[in-house]
Amino acid sequence: MSPALPTRRQDIEAVRVLAAFGIVWFHAHAPQLALGYAGLVVFLVLSVWLSAGSRQGWAAVRQRARRLLLPWALWFVVYGWYVHTLRLPVVDTRHGLLAGVLAGSNIHLWYLPFMFAVLLLADGLRRLLPARGLALGAGLLATALALAIPLWRPHTLGSFYPLRQWADAALPVSYGLMLLGAGALTPAQRTAALAVPVLAAALMAPLESFGLTSALGLGVCAWLARRPAPAPGGWSVQWLSDLCMGIYLVHILVLEALLLRTPLRGALLAVAVFAVSALLVAGGRALAPRWRGWWS
């Protein structure tokens, strides 16, 4: 078992691609939306689990800002221009200017500033807490959040953006924090830390659909953490995995401005949006490789 930071494992990269496709599937309103939304759960867990790096202090802050806040600012302008052409408000200020800005000019942009804050928190926790304490504490928090899904989720669903996204993200983020420190646990503790939040979410599935979504997403991540790292070489999806953030950022524009005007719907629409988004991101990176970090 290797729950510590994985480095370019192609099984993890393949799951990352599937998670990105799940998000596109959900936004395309394809069948079985709960399966698509599980992609967001996986995306969040992997974003935290893969976050540990060699840089510390302000160097890490600058690196995360370049990776997350620069694309957020650029796409805020792009989607702001798009919604302005539709005669819609660029920022929804009904719940305050700050909430509107953090939600973004398109709602999926909430992920970028949120993850920037989460990764800074993860950096701080890793400095302050021993790995074992981080893993046990985060695992307990993930379990508590899973068991309480029927209590908190009906309330957050009735709240405003991006509060409802933050609430849904709390469980996978906690699970990702647990994975960051899970290498310091004993084998029995690791097994429990991986399995108990998944089982707790599954138990809540009959009461709240997010329980099923969380159990699926967390279960996939638990499977990745349990299985041995594949031997180097062989098959690789790295070329597609490297496009995932760009696909996430551009796919709403592809969906709404282009493909919703076609007869495609359901699964075919999701596949088309993912494929066109991937081609656009790959083409943009090939034409301007120097600037790819600014937008993808």
Side-chain angles (χ1 to χ4, degrees):
M1 177 178 177
S2 178
L5 175 68
T7 304
R8 296 301 188 182
R9 277 176 43 178
Q10 290 308 302
D11 54 346
I12 291 176
E13 299 301 327
V15 168
R16 187 167 181 252
V17 172
L18 290 175
F21 179 72
I23 294 170
V24 174
W25 184 277
F26 179 81
H27 287 152
H29 298 286
Q32 301 298 325
L33 288 181
L35 293 175
Y37 202 51
L40 178 62
V41 173
V42 173
F43 213 63
L44 287 161
V45 174
L46 295 183
S47 294
V48 179
W49 184 21
L50 302 174
S51 68
S54 59
R55 296 188 180 184
Q56 300 293 329
W58 284 110
V61 174
R62 289 193 297 270
Q63 181 187 48
R64 302 208 188 287
R66 286 194 300 269
R67 182 74 182 98
L68 295 167
L69 296 187
L70 283 178
W72 173 72
L74 175 62
W75 286 101
F76 197 110
V77 173
V78 171
Y79 280 100
W81 169 82
Y82 172 67
V83 298
H84 179 71
T85 65
L86 301 177
R87 302 182 182 277
L88 297 172
V90 173
V91 173
D92 185 351
T93 59
R94 287 177 294 176
H95 301 286
L97 179 61
L98 180 60
V101 170
L102 291 175
S105 51
N106 191 281
I107 186 55
H108 75 302
L109 296 179
W110 71 272
Y111 169 85
L112 296 168
F114 174 82
M115 191 50 60
F116 175 74
V118 163
L119 295 185
L120 293 187
L121 174 64
D123 291 341
L125 290 174
R126 291 175 65 237
R127 289 194 300 268
L128 292 172
L129 299 175
R132 183 174 180 272
L134 175 61
L136 292 175
L140 287 173
L141 178 58
T143 301
L145 288 170
L147 290 173
I149 285 173
L151 299 178
W152 59 260
R153 195 154 193 267
H155 297 288
T156 59
L157 281 178
S159 65
F160 56 89
Y161 293 108
L163 181 60
R164 65 180 70 174
Q165 280 75 18
W166 297 348
D168 282 357
L171 173 53
V173 164
S174 300
Y175 199 82
L177 289 172
M178 180 274 295
L179 289 173
L180 273 179
L185 300 178
T186 67
Q189 289 171 338
R190 288 196 296 264
T191 299
L194 288 170
V196 171
V198 179
L199 294 174
L203 286 173
M204 298 301 106
L207 303 176
E208 168 59 55
S209 62
F210 189 65
L212 174 60
T213 297
S214 298
L216 290 171
L218 300 185
V220 168
C221 295
W223 171 74
L224 286 172
R226 286 287 302 178
R227 74 190 306 264
W235 61 277
S236 174
V237 294
Q238 196 62 56
W239 62 274
L240 185 55
S241 178
D242 288 343
L243 303 179
C244 282
M245 179 60 78
I247 292 170
Y248 177 82
L249 292 169
V250 78
H251 80 278
I252 295 293
L253 200 59
V254 171
L255 172 64
E256 295 186 1
L258 182 61
L259 292 182
L260 276 183
R261 304 172 190 273
T262 72
L264 295 173
R265 291 296 181 270
L268 289 177
L269 177 61
V271 171
V273 169
F274 187 86
V276 172
S277 299
L279 288 172
L280 287 175
V281 175
R285 284 178 157 226
L287 291 173
R290 182 178 177 183
W291 302 104
R292 64 185 186 180
W294 283 73
W295 62 277
S296 69

